[in-house]
């Protein structure tokens, strides 16, 4: 359920490319024109614009945008203009770098994408960085984080709805036993969360809840300050209710002193064409304020206009 508003009559890619060229020329950049085009074209249309732009002007559209734009607005436009697999490959690569390292972003990409999407991210990573995502994650993580994240990024889960209830019952017990004994990094726990289909996991966690009287994430809160347990709880959330996970990321990004623009930009650009409608509903329910209002209050200028357009706010 995407929030991106694409006009009924979309100009041809060559018309859009020509308009973007005009936006870059003359005195100053026409940011509004860039927003009007790129924030209102779907992924296939943006890819076509990039291709046509390169052919017509002999320059990479992304390089031109980089040259013309600045700050958070630049990052948001560049990320959104990328193909989704390229975007995730870029974010994952950043997450393995020392100054921008983030186990959370690696987990998010591994758990919130379909199996085929994750495979495409890994192919894009090969093409762009001449190495595998798995080897970079393994190289840049250690200990319990490596033990969890490498299987997650290596996974190719079954996507169907079929569920084995006997298995769900037995694996719910395995999870409960390991968590009760505080064996959070046990290979059985890692195996279940990193290989089972989302439908199978849901069945297992429902069994866990009904058989043991607690949701698994409640039992994983034994030590609220434990960073690994926080990540493990986020894995469960991403695999079962991603909109709740992203609502929390947005809430923390917006409520943070000075706000976390990188997190805000990442969630809006990666989910605008996926499940932003559900995320907005979750945000409204949890915070009693529409996401549009929260973003408008927290951001300004062209960056604000671009984000609001992506989440389908008004006529932005």
């Amino acid at each position: 359920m995407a929030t991106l508003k694409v006009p009924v009559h979309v100009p041809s890619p060559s018309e859009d490319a020509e308009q973007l060229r005009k936006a870059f020329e003359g005195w100053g950049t026409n940011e509004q024109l860039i927003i009007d085009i790129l924030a209102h074209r779907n992924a296939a249309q943006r890819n076509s614009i990039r291709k046509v732009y390169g052919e017509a002007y002999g320059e990479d559209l992304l390089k031109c945008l980089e040259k013309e734009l600045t700050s958070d607005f630049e990052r948001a436009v560049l990320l959104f203009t990328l193909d989704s697999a390229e975007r995730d490959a870029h974010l994952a690569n950043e997450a393995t770098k020392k100054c921008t390292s983030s186990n959370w972003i690696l987990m998010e990409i591994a758990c919130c994408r379909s199996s085929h999407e994750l495979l495409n991210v890994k192919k894009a990573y090969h093409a762009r960085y001449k190495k595998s995502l798995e080897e970079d994650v393994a190289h840049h993580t250690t200990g319990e984080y490596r033990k969890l994240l490498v299987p997650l990024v290596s996974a190719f889960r079954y996507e169907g709805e079929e569920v084995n209830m006997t298995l769900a019952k037995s694996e719910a017990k395995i999870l409960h036993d390991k968590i009760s004994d505080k064996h959070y990094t046990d290979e059985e726990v890692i195996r279940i969360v990193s290989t089972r289909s989302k439908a199978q996991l849901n069945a297992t966690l429902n069994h866990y809840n009904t058989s043991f009287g607690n949701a698994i994430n409640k039992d994983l809160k034994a030590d609220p300050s434990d960073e690994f347990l926080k990540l493990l709880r986020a894995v469960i959330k991403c695999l079962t209710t991603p909109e709740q996970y992203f609502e929390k990321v947005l809430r923390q990004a917006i409520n943070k002193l000075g706000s976390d623009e990188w997190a805000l930009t990442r969630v809006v650009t990666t989910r605008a064409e996926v499940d932003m409608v559900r995320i907005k509903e979750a945000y409204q329910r949890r915070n009693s304020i529409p996401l549009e209002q929260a973003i408008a209050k927290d951001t300004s200028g062209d960056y604000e206009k671009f984000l609001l357009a992506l989440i389908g706010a008004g006529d932005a």
Side-chain angles (χ1 to χ4, degrees), residues 49-100:
I49 295 167
R50 270 176 73 189
K51 187 170 175 286
V52 169
Y53 191 95
E55 289 164 358
Y57 304 107
E59 285 184 274
D60 181 353
L61 175 60
L62 292 167
K63 290 269 189 295
C64 295
L65 288 165
E66 210 172 323
K67 204 163 62 186
E68 298 292 332
L69 310 178
T70 57
S71 195
D72 295 315
F73 179 49
E74 176 196 341
R75 183 169 170 83
V77 173
L78 287 173
L79 279 177
F80 190 65
T81 306
L82 283 169
D83 166 76
S84 62
E86 289 176 298
R87 184 195 304 134
D88 281 344
H90 173 79
L91 289 167
N93 185 255
E94 272 185 349
T96 63
K97 294 275 183 283
K98 202 167 251 176
C99 56
T100 48

Side-chain angles (χ1 to χ4, degrees), residues 33-49:
L33 188 52
I34 293 169
I35 294 167
D36 289 343
I37 295 171
L38 294 177
H40 296 280
R41 302 291 182 270
N42 64 31
Q45 290 161 347
R46 295 194 305 277
N47 277 343
S48 298
I49 295 167

Side-chain angles (χ1 to χ4, degrees), residues 205-217:
L205 300 180
N206 284 338
H207 258 296
Y208 188 106
N209 205 347
T210 51
S211 304
F212 307 108
N214 255 352
I216 191 168
N217 270 5

Side-chain angles (χ1 to χ4, degrees), residues 21-30 68:
R21 189 68 175 181
K22 281 181 185 165
F24 303 149
E25 287 171 343
W27 293 103
T29 307
N30 186 341
E68 298 292 332

Side-chain angles (χ1 to χ4, degrees), residues 150-187:
V150 173
L152 285 176
V153 297
S154 308
F156 190 74
R157 297 173 196 269
Y158 175 62
E159 290 282 329
E161 291 303 314
E162 292 83 353
V163 164
N164 179 331
M165 286 314 220
T166 311
L167 185 66
K169 204 170 180 180
S170 67
E171 291 194 336
K173 186 177 185 316
I174 291 169
L175 288 173
H176 185 259
D177 290 349
K178 299 297 179 190
I179 290 167
S180 298
D181 294 337
K182 300 196 165 149
H183 295 160
Y184 305 119
T185 60
D186 187 278
E187 61 184 30

Side-chain angles (χ1 to χ4, degrees), residues 112-183:
C112 294
R113 311 302 187 249
S114 72
S115 296
H116 287 284
E117 285 165 349
L118 183 56
L119 183 61
N120 286 336
V121 173
K122 293 192 264 194
K123 285 178 183 172
Y125 202 95
H126 283 191
R128 174 75 179 80
Y129 301 106
K130 310 303 175 207
K131 46 193 173 165
S132 76
L133 174 59
E134 293 88 336
E135 72 180 290
D136 271 0
V137 171
H139 180 67
H140 292 284
T141 54
T142 54
E144 54 197 2
Y145 294 103
R146 180 189 286 167
K147 202 172 170 185
L148 175 65
L149 288 167
V150 173
L152 285 176
V153 297
S154 308
F156 190 74
R157 297 173 196 269
Y158 175 62
E159 290 282 329
E161 291 303 314
E162 292 83 353
V163 164
N164 179 331
M165 286 314 220
T166 311
L167 185 66
K169 204 170 180 180
S170 67
E171 291 194 336
K173 186 177 185 316
I174 291 169
L175 288 173
H176 185 259
D177 290 349
K178 299 297 179 190
I179 290 167
S180 298
D181 294 337
K182 300 196 165 149
H183 295 160

